[in-house]
Amino acid sequence: MPMTEKELQKRDAQRDLGAELLESVRQMKAGRAGRIHQVEVSPAVSARIKSGLSQIDFAKLLGVSVRTLQDWEQGRRQPSGAAKTLITIAERRPDVLKEIAA
């Protein structure tokens, strides 16, 4: 059965939110001690970031919709054939892509 408003107020009045928050932070830090977290990005994200282009401009350059690029970047779909090759070139040689985009 849900608590009444009065019961909630009574419970909350007895809480030390600062102490609870501090304890939560300590637990999070303890859980991560010695761990290194790396975020893996898709080749499409890496290539776009290295090229310095927005999603819109990068998608135009590749000849795909922004939605398709977003699907690639978020791992929902994989580029195929020529798109994969262009992304590889863009990732390895962003200067070439910048030159083409100019």
Side-chain angles (χ1 to χ4, degrees):
M1 185 166 134
M3 296 175 82
T4 66
E5 184 67 28
K6 197 175 216 178
E7 290 170 327
L8 288 171
Q9 288 176 350
K10 182 179 178 183
R11 180 203 65 188
D12 291 347
Q14 297 171 354
R15 293 176 70 185
D16 182 350
L17 294 179
E20 289 178 34
L21 182 58
L22 188 57
E23 180 58 27
S24 293
V25 170
R26 285 184 183 129
Q27 288 175 5
M28 286 189 299
K29 283 184 173 181
R32 286 193 260 167
R35 294 185 195 167
I36 297 174
H37 295 279
Q38 292 183 342
V39 176
E40 277 192 42
V41 297
S42 72
V45 171
S46 176
R48 182 175 61 79
I49 290 171
K50 287 178 182 178
S51 72
L53 297 173
S54 68
Q55 282 185 330
I56 293 170
D57 293 336
F58 194 68
K60 280 182 190 175
L61 195 62
L62 295 178
V64 298
S65 71
V66 174
R67 181 66 180 174
T68 296
L69 177 61
Q70 289 170 343
D71 284 345
W72 293 344
E73 288 187 351
Q74 295 172 13
R76 291 189 296 259
R77 292 179 52 199
Q78 294 296 314
S80 61
K84 191 179 281 189
T85 301
L86 285 172
I87 289 170
T88 301
I89 292 168
E91 193 172 19
R92 292 182 186 169
R93 296 285 311 275
D95 56 309
V96 172
L97 204 64
K98 289 177 189 176
E99 184 179 317
I100 293 169

